[in-house]
Each structure stands twice: as structure tokens, then as C-alpha cells.
Amino acid sequence: MSVHVLAAQTVVLVVVSLAILYPVVAYARTLLYTEAVTLLAASVLVFTAGSVLQGGLGMVTAAEGTYLLSCLCFAGSVWLFAREFVRVGDSSFDTDDTPGSSPGFDGATTGVPSPSEEGFAGATEGDDGE
């Protein structure tokens, strides 16, 4: 890899990580997931360090370890974003497989619907309110 390409890649990755980190610095009081955004920016910075280790210094093994750390930071940030929405151990739906335990469609009426259930299907031109 050319030195110019590596330098451009490093600059772009640092700018991206700073752009991700900007809302934490500028809007720390109103930002909901400050820890998650900070960890996401750290993930990009650690990835940048791995890229420099591999492309610039030729240290492939150290770069792979750094990439692993970057992946762990990213996984941590995803967990911090999603932890409020994950329910472990609770079923998401209250289901009961025994027949007849819940009415389902058994309680639905059959036959001609009442005018309130018809909606606009039974309306005529004279029913438009004029």
C-alpha cells in the first residue's frame, strides 16, 4: 500500500471517528446514548490504529489483535444501543397453546354487520350529510 493512500485512509478514518464523537462533546446533556456513541467512535479509532499497524508498520499479528479489539468495542456499542429493547427470559408474546383458552376469532360475530361496523361500504349518496 502506498504511503499516500495509507495517510489518506488514516485521515478519513480519524475524521469519521471525530464526526461520530462530535455529538457527545457538543450535546452531551441531550444525547441519549452517550456511552454507546463514545464506544462506537473508539471502535473506529482502534480500527484506524490497526490499519496503521498493518499497512504502515507491517505488523500483521498486532493488527489482527487490534481489529479484534475494534470488533469488541463495536459489539459493546451495539449492546449499549440495544439493551433497552432486549428481553432475556421473557417471551415476547403471551401464548397459550391449549385450545379454547383465548377467544381468538371464536368471539367474532357472523352474519350482517351493524351499521356502525359497516364503515363506508353501506353508504349511499344520500348519506353524505347534505
Side-chain angles (χ1 to χ4, degrees):
M1 179 181 297
S2 152
V3 175
H4 299 296
V5 173
L6 180 65
Q9 175 183 338
T10 303
V11 167
V12 167
L13 286 171
V14 168
V15 167
V16 166
S17 63
L18 291 177
I20 292 171
L21 198 58
Y22 174 75
V24 173
V25 175
Y27 309 106
R29 290 185 168 195
T30 58
L31 189 64
L32 285 176
Y33 301 103
T34 53
E35 298 91 4
V37 174
T38 304
L39 204 54
L40 183 64
S43 170
V44 176
L45 281 174
V46 171
F47 180 82
T48 305
S51 174
V52 169
L53 283 173
Q54 183 178 4
L57 303 175
M59 302 171 69
V60 177
T61 306
E64 292 298 324
T66 309
Y67 290 146
L68 177 64
L69 181 62
S70 174
C71 290
L72 291 174
C73 289
F74 182 75
S77 71
V78 169
W79 172 249
L80 289 175
F81 277 118
R83 69 181 169 187
E84 293 178 23
F85 306 104
V86 175
R87 307 265 190 277
V88 179
D90 290 341
S91 63
S92 58
F93 299 103
D94 292 334
T95 59
D96 192 8
D97 292 334
T98 58
S101 63
S102 63
F105 289 109
D106 295 336
T109 59
T110 58
V112 180
S114 67
S116 64
E117 293 175 348
E118 263 181 33
F120 294 111
T124 63
E125 287 185 30
D127 291 338
D128 62 357
E130 291 181 15

